[in-house]
Amino acid sequence: MRPCFARTRHLTQYMGKAISLLRPPPPPPEQPPRASGMMELRKRPRPRLLDPDFVSSPPPTPPRKRPAAAADPAPRKRAKLCGSYYIGSPVVGLQPTRCCRLPVARVSFIPRSRVPFNWYEPDMWTEVAKYLHGADLVHLAATCHWFRHLLFGEDSIWCYAFFRDLSLRTDDPRILKLLIPRPYHRSWRLLYVNAFNNTHAYCFRQPKKHIEWFRIGGFLMDTSRMLLTATLALPRGMPPADENPRFSISLTGACLLTNVRPGIWIADMHMVRCPVCNFKKCKGTMQVLEARHCELYLEKKFKDGTWEYEDLGNHFSDGPLDNAGAAIFNCDHIHTPHIGNILNAKSWIRERSNLLPRARFTPIAVAMNSNLKPNHGLLSKFKAMRYSKDGEIVSVRITQQLL
């Protein structure tokens, strides 16, 4: 009987499990009716992002419980901070560092967006352009429209290059006192092109007589008084400022011009074939010290031959001479150290055996010198070109002919 009772009990248990599996699932809980055409939105929990290389800053430390006032009536001294606090490193594996400051409760590292580097920075390229020659500036402007707009639109770049290539040191405090006038209705870019395109006065007139030339430099005329001399020395007395300087030129070899156009002047030295003259001992060549206003070549009347050079006078030096020199000075700055650099000829002229000409210039004066072979004298001619018949003088020449 026992085996039959045990089988019946096991069978009843299995039957109960089977019946429970066959029961239908309970109905879901009642939900509020949804509007037709609406989509149900469910929020899904986002997984927490963990970076194995970085760990967030440590949690804040709980505040310390201060003892009651009765337990510690004496004032407590402030403990030393150095050596007692640490700052945890955000990188796993690095040792903490000591700090003498109080520990920060919580530090948040906020990344800041940085502006990406821009290759087209006007201020940067304006500074770079100051170290380029005029031909390089033109080549850079031909690369794209942005550089063309920058280099041809920014006139200060060409002004800087103009003074730099003329070796006018505008950082000198004495030169800053001089007035640097702006061109008359011109741009610095046009002035640079006309000053450094290898053109000279003899290209427009008498090109067959010209042999060679070289650029001396530039100087400033902040006044209308200019002193011309046929020697590397100042006259004992200042020549009179009259309209006819022939007498002072023939007597002292110097003249004072009082109607000169202020501005930037450019000086050149030329070797020219001697024109037909009555001197039988002429060697056939002569040297010319020419100074002109920087805007002369932009005038149409100069190019078409309307403006001509007029003779101011001649000075003849009789007897054999060792050298031939000429100078042009800004008359209002005769007593400055710049004039002394010109008059100290022994410091810059060549040796007696060297016959090559040499020039020297300062911001307010210019001079040239050439050693001569055995000769019988020197003829110096002074010439000037005026803006009109009685207008301002825009160019001067000192021609020296060896006899």
Side-chain angles (χ1 to χ4, degrees), residues 288-360:
V288 180
L289 175 61
E290 181 185 59
R292 59 179 175 86
H293 195 270
C294 62
E295 301 181 44
L296 178 63
Y297 294 170
L298 296 176
E299 301 290 345
K300 294 182 179 180
K301 293 185 178 181
F302 169 77
K303 294 182 180 181
D304 60 12
T306 303
W307 296 348
E308 293 287 349
Y309 282 95
E310 59 175 298
D311 293 330
L312 300 179
N314 301 334
H315 176 75
F316 178 70
S317 298
D318 194 7
L321 299 176
D322 295 335
N323 53 25
I328 301 174
F329 302 97
N330 187 337
C331 192
D332 287 0
H333 301 275
I334 291 294
H335 302 289
T336 59
H338 295 286
I339 300 298
N341 296 334
I342 296 292
L343 300 179
N344 188 12
K346 295 182 179 180
S347 62
W348 59 273
I349 62 175
R350 301 183 186 275
E351 297 180 357
R352 184 68 183 86
S353 59
N354 193 344
L355 301 180
L356 293 177
R358 189 171 185 178
R360 189 177 182 87

Side-chain angles (χ1 to χ4, degrees), residues 192-370:
Y192 186 92
V193 173
N194 282 271
F196 299 98
N197 59 355
N198 294 328
T199 58
H200 48 81
Y202 287 93
C203 293
F204 302 99
R205 305 172 188 179
Q206 302 175 350
K208 296 181 179 180
K209 295 183 179 180
H210 189 263
I211 301 176
E212 60 180 353
W213 72 290
F214 66 88
R215 172 65 47 81
I216 299 177
F219 62 99
L220 299 175
M221 287 294 300
D222 59 332
T223 62
S224 59
R225 292 159 51 87
M226 178 182 290
L227 178 65
L228 309 180
T229 63
T231 59
L232 299 179
L234 294 175
R236 295 182 178 180
M238 188 63 62
D242 53 0
E243 297 181 356
N244 188 7
R246 294 184 180 274
F247 178 76
S248 61
I249 292 176
S250 61
L251 184 63
T252 62
C255 68
L256 178 62
L257 304 179
T258 58
N259 194 19
V260 177
R261 172 177 285 189
I264 304 170
W265 283 61
I266 303 174
D268 300 327
M269 189 271 181
H270 301 270
M271 296 297 297
V272 185
R273 293 184 178 88
C274 181
V276 178
C277 59
N278 297 326
F279 298 98
K280 298 181 180 180
K281 299 179 181 180
C282 179
K283 301 297 181 180
T285 59
M286 59 183 181
Q287 63 180 12
V288 180
L289 175 61
E290 181 185 59
R292 59 179 175 86
H293 195 270
C294 62
E295 301 181 44
L296 178 63
Y297 294 170
L298 296 176
E299 301 290 345
K300 294 182 179 180
K301 293 185 178 181
F302 169 77
K303 294 182 180 181
D304 60 12
T306 303
W307 296 348
E308 293 287 349
Y309 282 95
E310 59 175 298
D311 293 330
L312 300 179
N314 301 334
H315 176 75
F316 178 70
S317 298
D318 194 7
L321 299 176
D322 295 335
N323 53 25
I328 301 174
F329 302 97
N330 187 337
C331 192
D332 287 0
H333 301 275
I334 291 294
H335 302 289
T336 59
H338 295 286
I339 300 298
N341 296 334
I342 296 292
L343 300 179
N344 188 12
K346 295 182 179 180
S347 62
W348 59 273
I349 62 175
R350 301 183 186 275
E351 297 180 357
R352 184 68 183 86
S353 59
N354 193 344
L355 301 180
L356 293 177
R358 189 171 185 178
R360 189 177 182 87
F361 70 100
T362 64
I364 53 178
V366 63
M368 71 171 185
N369 180 78
S370 298

